[in-house]
Amino acid sequence: MNKLFFGAAYYREYLSAERLQEDIILMKEAGINYVRIAESTWSTYEPQEGVFDFSSVNLVLDEMHKNGISVIIGTPTYALPAWLAKKYPDVMATTSTGKNIYGHRQKMDITHPAFLWYAERIIRKLMQETSHHPAVIGFQIDNETKYYDICSSAVQIEFVKHLKVHFNNDTAALNDAFGLDYWSNRIDAWEDFPAVEGTINASLGTAFKKFQRSLVTRFLSWQADIVKEYKNDNQFITHNFDFDWRNWSYGIRAEVNHFETSKVLDITGVDVYHPGQFNLTGAEISFAGDVARVTKDQHYFVLETQAQAFKDWTPFPGQLRLQAWSHVASGASLIGYWHWHSIHNSYETYWKGLLSHDLQPNPVYYEACTIGAEFSRHADTVMQYSRKSRIALVVSNDCLTAIDWHPWKGHQFNRDPLHQYNDVFREYYDTLYKMNIEVDIISVDDERLFRYEMLIFPLLYTVSDTRLQEINKYISEGGHCIFSFKSAFSDENLKVRTCAQPGIISEAVGAQYQMFVEPDQTHLHSRKLKISREDAVVTDWMELIDPDNETEVLATYAHPYWQKYAAITHNQYGKGTATYVGCHIKTGALGELYRYVLNKTLYKNGGVPDTQFPVIIKRGYDKNNNMVLYYFNYSSESQDVSFNESKGRCLFSGKSITKNESVTLKDWDVQIIIVETDK
């Protein structure tokens, strides 16, 4: 589709007064060409068991269609009605902390037969009402689905059956793989299997998390199959994945595998929220896009992002436009605000939409009008391009949950409730982002992994021998890898390898270690990396590395007792290279390491970009391999950037530009240049 969709979630049911026609007028003035409806209001459509009323949905569909606005229908299964929880209390999930009570959304058991029966009925009724309507372009199944810490006895029975198949009904194999002799956790009869939420065994605990993630894939696949019975060939199925939450979208989710679950969809959708005002960097927009785009190697949807939202997110003038084009530059073909109007009651009263509580036009709305006009005018140009990344940042849900058990900072028995894996992931990603080095984000298990020229592995803690051997082969044949500390330490069952660490890849890394320690008054010492004293600080984790004779040592430890050990190494292995970072370093030091390694490998002619944050540059290529350059200024001060191509055309002004001319970016500005070539 060469159409660029621009819209919002629209909840007519939440408004205290009828204003559908007035809203449509404002939407059309803003260039909104779609709305998303229905996913939040099951109890409105089925107020009592078996009593259905879709009049609100039908009215919105009819009026939107009359006015040329398309509609995405959401299946309303993530927030169930009170009567269902009252009649079947077991539909409320049993979790590791006990039984959920009714009230909050997403507190149900997505595996419970009663929930699934009623969910299927409301989905089918909704499909019968809407799928044939000409306004409907697609369907969003459920909403930000996760496994919600379901630990019910039924789920645990399923998990044991899963393990029986995986271990060929052999409890001895299970005990050996998971090390269950420890503290007498051994299981010699399947009927003795204990409740998993009480386990002290990381192997068993992470295996259960992986199984729980599979329940999400199964649930959304089940919904997709129902919708497929009703939709036509021109309608899509999508879902809005969310991300690890640190008061905004922060990293990879432990509770769903984005890559695996995207396979059941036509188009991957994501919800992206980020810091605002002076804290806006665009990094969250970029990383979410680099995940979503790669799931299916195509454009993706941003089904939810912020308009005004919280008091510290309300955008400065220009920021809403900057954010919207940032999504497009990462590969989004749809941008949707949550939500159209601010809500006057309940939990999200102070999460504001495009319209404030007075429901009248405001500065944020007027900026949306500018975005809508630009999207309409330039969609044909910007939607014909795709990204080409030479580098991939490799992620793993299994490593994330493994690091939850075996954290790299703090004390293991006093674990940080936040996912420490994502701390390193974001440091390794954000440093590249701010250096204007574009990457894809891909799962370690993905069959497309070795198509890249360089792979970067933050905390590759748990991975199979086979995959590590494939990584060694990839390096020997000319690939380049950068590994962080704690990589390759355990196999896929979280059993620590007894070989030299880092396990198996030590051959390619050209170094090994036996001891790891807590850094105390430790700095990096390097004659090869230009690291400032402030950036040289080592924190939280350090491995005492013994390099092979031919291995290049990029940094050692400035420490009275550990100074003889390497901290960072770089090794030629066959036709490729392997770089190992044996400690937790500052992002400034990481940036210098990236620059050094890239200049020796992918960018031997000094191609590492000189332009850095707050100016962000994104590159795309159209179907004729012509370059599209996006220039973003994530700061409150004007920035000038040199145009380095032969000639081009500024998308918004139509003016021509030639090599070495300056591109001026006002505060929170974006410029797009179509690079022109002589044909």
Side-chain angles (χ1 to χ4, degrees):
M1 294 181 292
N2 285 334
K3 187 172 184 177
L4 188 50
F5 287 97
F6 183 58
Y10 183 63
Y11 306 111
R12 175 177 176 268
E13 298 85 356
Y14 291 175
L15 288 164
S16 55
E18 180 56 64
R19 53 172 284 124
L20 178 58
Q21 296 304 326
E22 186 176 353
D23 283 331
I24 288 175
I25 291 171
L26 291 173
M27 288 178 184
K28 292 177 70 175
E29 289 176 354
I32 282 178
N33 55 23
Y34 93 94
V35 292
R36 184 189 73 173
I37 68 172
E39 91 284 353
S40 296
T41 42
W42 183 346
S43 63
T44 304
Y45 310 139
E46 191 177 6
Q48 286 294 310
E49 182 180 356
V51 178
F52 299 97
D53 181 4
F54 295 104
S55 57
S56 178
V57 174
N58 288 323
L59 177 60
V60 172
L61 285 174
D62 289 343
E63 294 305 311
M64 293 296 173
H65 182 58
K66 288 178 186 177
N67 287 276
I69 298 174
S70 300
V71 179
I72 297 174
I73 297 290
T75 61
T77 47
Y78 82 112
L80 49 79
W83 59 260
L84 178 54
K86 188 76 170 180
K87 183 172 183 179
Y88 295 101
D90 282 351
V91 301
M92 303 306 295
T94 297
T95 73
S96 56
T97 58
K99 189 80 170 177
N100 285 339
I101 59 174
Y102 181 80
H104 210 293
R105 65 177 186 172
Q106 298 177 321
K107 294 295 184 181
M108 69 287 183
D109 183 342
I110 61 172
T111 70
H112 195 279
F115 169 74
L116 293 173
W117 193 90
Y118 283 99
E120 179 172 356
R121 186 170 70 174
I122 190 66
I123 293 169
R124 290 189 181 279
K125 291 288 186 181
L126 184 61
M127 291 299 104
Q128 290 164 6
E129 288 284 335
T130 64
S131 61
H132 61 278
H133 199 287
V136 178
I137 57 173
F139 303 92
Q140 175 191 301
I141 49 176
D142 206 66
N143 182 83
E144 297 182 342
T145 312
K146 296 170 282 293
Y147 58 69
Y148 313 131
D149 194 27
I150 301 167
C151 299
S152 67
S153 58
V155 166
Q156 299 211 36
I157 288 170
E158 271 201 82
F159 176 57
V160 173
K161 289 180 179 178
H162 163 76
L163 291 178
K164 280 185 177 180
V165 172
H166 184 74
F167 289 104
N168 295 315
N169 207 30
D170 185 353
T171 58
L174 168 73
N175 289 317
D176 178 63
F178 289 177
L180 292 174
D181 286 291
Y182 183 80
W183 281 3
S184 293
N185 274 210
R186 186 178 178 85
I187 299 167
D188 286 300
W190 292 107
E191 57 268 25
D192 294 336
F193 213 100
V196 180
E197 66 264 32
T199 189
I200 50 84
N201 183 281
S203 299
L204 182 58
T206 55
F208 186 53
K209 294 292 185 186
K210 186 172 185 175
F211 175 75
Q212 288 173 304
R213 285 192 289 273
S214 76
L215 300 177
V216 180
T217 306
R218 184 176 74 185
F219 176 66
L220 291 179
S221 178
W222 169 81
Q223 285 218 21
D225 286 343
I226 296 172
V227 172
K228 286 174 185 175
E229 295 181 33
Y230 299 90
K231 82 174 195 70
N232 64 49
D233 292 341
N234 295 318
Q235 295 169 327
F236 56 77
I237 296 175
T238 188
H239 174 75
N240 57 327
F241 294 105
D242 63 347
F243 294 89
D244 185 33
W245 188 251
R246 302 274 182 96
N247 292 322
W248 53 78
S249 305
Y250 188 76
I252 301 300
R253 270 282 180 194
E255 302 92 343
V256 57
N257 186 321
H258 297 110
F259 292 91
E260 189 63 30
T261 310
S262 290
K263 293 176 182 178
V264 311
L265 309 172
D266 297 316
I267 302 172
T268 298
V270 290
D271 293 350
V272 187
Y273 296 101
H274 48 80
Q277 299 175 12
F278 290 114
N279 295 313
L280 176 64
T281 67
E284 288 76 21
I285 294 173
S286 185
F287 99 74
D290 290 341
V291 171
R293 184 186 65 256
V294 178
T295 56
K296 303 182 80 67
D297 277 340
Q298 65 181 29
H299 290 295
Y300 63 95
F301 289 170
V302 179
L303 288 156
E304 291 184 21
T305 192
Q306 63 215 56
Q308 297 182 71
F310 305 139
K311 61 183 182 180
D312 56 331
W313 286 6
T314 303
F316 294 152
Q319 286 188 334
L320 196 75
R321 176 174 175 264
L322 174 67
Q323 293 159 194
W325 280 111
S326 295
H327 287 297
V328 174
S330 286
S333 60
L334 176 149
I335 290 90
Y337 295 111
W338 200 92
H339 41 96
W340 169 247
H341 60 84
S342 298
I343 297 174
H344 298 83
N345 300 92
S346 203
Y347 194 78
E348 293 173 317
T349 297
Y350 281 92
W351 192 316
K352 295 177 67 178
L354 272 175
L355 300 186
S356 295
H357 289 103
D358 62 4
L359 303 176
Q360 299 303 308
N362 61 75
V364 176
Y365 166 80
Y366 287 124
E367 191 163 318
C369 293
T370 299
I371 299 166
E374 289 181 347
F375 277 10
S376 177
R377 191 177 306 122
H378 302 300
D380 285 345
T381 299
V382 299
M383 292 312 299
Q384 291 183 31
Y385 91 100
S386 60
R387 287 274 301 276
K388 296 179 182 178
S389 297
R390 303 172 67 188
I391 304 170
L393 196 76
V394 185
V395 297
S396 166
N397 295 91
D398 295 338
C399 290
L400 186 153
T401 50
I403 296 297
D404 286 349
W405 279 89
H406 301 304
W408 56 272
K409 60 180 176 179
H411 198 285
Q412 174 166 339
F413 304 122
N414 249 333
R415 294 199 292 269
D416 188 329
L418 300 176
H419 300 302
Q420 291 187 12
Y421 177 92
N422 281 331
D423 293 320
V424 175
F425 162 70
R426 282 299 302 271
E427 288 170 355
Y428 274 62
Y429 179 84
D430 287 13
T431 302
L432 291 163
Y433 168 76
K434 291 183 176 181
M435 294 175 68
N436 281 309
I437 298 169
E438 295 182 273
V439 301
D440 287 353
I441 298 174
I442 194 166
S443 171
V444 68
D445 300 319
D446 199 296
E447 62 184 11
R448 300 167 297 168
L449 185 65
F450 300 117
R451 70 184 181 183
Y452 299 94
E453 295 175 60
M454 176 176 283
L455 300 172
I456 300 173
F457 297 93
L459 292 174
L460 184 65
Y461 184 78
T462 174
V463 63
S464 70
D465 290 2
T466 299
R467 200 51 158 174
L468 291 179
Q469 289 158 357
E470 290 169 346
I471 292 170
N472 280 351
K473 183 174 183 287
Y474 160 81
I475 297 169
S476 71
E477 293 177 349
H480 305 282
C481 288
I482 300 175
F483 302 93
S484 84
F485 59 96
K486 281 181 80 84
S487 285
F489 198 73
S490 66
D491 68 12
E492 69 273 24
N493 295 315
L494 241 65
K495 191 171 188 177
V496 176
R497 293 186 167 89
T498 56
C499 61
Q501 295 291 353
I504 299 177
I505 60 169
S506 59
E507 178 183 340
V509 167
Q512 57 187 310
Y513 69 91
Q514 294 177 306
M515 297 189 293
F516 44 84
V517 299
E518 178 80 12
D520 186 12
Q521 303 178 43
T522 306
H523 289 73
L524 296 175
H525 172 70
S526 177
R527 291 189 175 91
K528 298 185 178 183
L529 306 178
K530 298 177 182 178
I531 304 174
S532 69
R533 176 71 177 174
E534 180 183 355
D535 286 334
V537 177
V538 178
T539 62
D540 299 299
W541 185 276
M542 57 187 281
E543 296 159 358
L544 307 182
I545 299 173
D546 289 312
D548 296 344
N549 290 333
E550 295 80 17
T551 301
E552 183 181 9
V553 176
L554 300 185
T556 57
Y557 298 114
H559 188 278
Y561 300 102
W562 312 131
Q563 74 274 18
K564 71 175 183 178
Y565 295 104
I568 304 173
T569 60
H570 179 73
N571 187 49
Q572 184 78 37
Y573 181 69
K575 297 178 181 179
T577 65
T579 304
Y580 190 82
V581 185
C583 51
H584 180 235
I585 59 177
K586 299 284 189 179
T587 54
L590 183 59
E592 289 304 313
L593 173 66
Y594 281 150
R595 186 174 299 278
Y596 181 87
V597 173
L598 287 169
N599 280 333
K600 291 193 69 171
T601 55
L602 271 60
Y603 302 140
K604 291 183 179 180
N605 296 321
V608 175
D610 292 324
T611 304
Q612 298 198 31
F613 184 85
V615 173
I616 293 297
I617 303 174
K618 298 283 188 182
R619 296 165 182 81
Y621 298 86
D622 68 17
K623 60 183 180 181
N624 298 317
N625 210 35
N626 295 315
M627 187 184 295
V628 181
L629 284 173
Y630 288 80
Y631 295 89
F632 300 101
N633 178 15
Y634 281 97
S635 78
S636 57
E637 297 180 356
S638 179
Q639 306 285 333
D640 289 322
V641 187
S642 179
F643 177 68
N644 295 324
E645 305 300 325
S646 57
K647 61 180 180 178
R649 175 176 54 84
C650 298
L651 186 68
F652 299 127
S653 67
K655 293 181 179 178
S656 296
I657 186 171
T658 57
K659 189 175 180 65
N660 297 326
E661 272 194 65
S662 181
V663 179
T664 298
L665 299 166
K666 297 180 294 183
D667 56 315
W668 313 108
D669 193 14
V670 54
Q671 292 291 339
I672 304 172
I673 297 178
I674 312 300
V675 177
E676 297 176 340
T677 56
D678 295 321
K679 295 284 180 76

